[in-house]
Amino acid sequence: MNTIKKLTRPRNGRMLGGVCAGIGEYLGIDPTVVRIICVLLSIGTIGLALLVYLVLCFVIPESY
């Protein structure tokens, strides 16, 4: 059986837009780790990661 994984923003487990929770589910890691990495990238790139997060909120579909 071939199951295709899709990147979606889950309705449960989200904090803001669900992007980090969706990436965590897709990669099979804890969303908290993804959130910490996102914060560190935002600090290190002077907010560029925050802009990427906002774009992903609109690009990644919400799960149903």
Side-chain angles (χ1 to χ4, degrees), residues 1 15 33 46:
M1 284 194 201
M15 294 204 118
V33 174
I46 311 170

Side-chain angles (χ1 to χ4, degrees), residues 6-42 49-62:
K6 292 187 178 184
L7 179 60
T8 59
R9 295 181 298 125
R11 292 177 187 243
N12 56 354
R14 64 169 48 178
M15 294 204 118
L16 292 175
V19 174
C20 292
I23 292 172
E25 282 183 6
Y26 184 79
L27 297 175
I29 59 175
D30 187 23
T32 305
V33 174
V34 179
R35 290 179 185 120
I36 292 170
I37 292 170
C38 184
V39 168
L40 292 175
L41 284 175
S42 288
L50 182 62
L51 179 65
V52 171
Y53 184 91
L54 291 173
V55 169
L56 289 177
C57 267
F58 293 106
V59 173
I60 298 174
E62 190 170 348

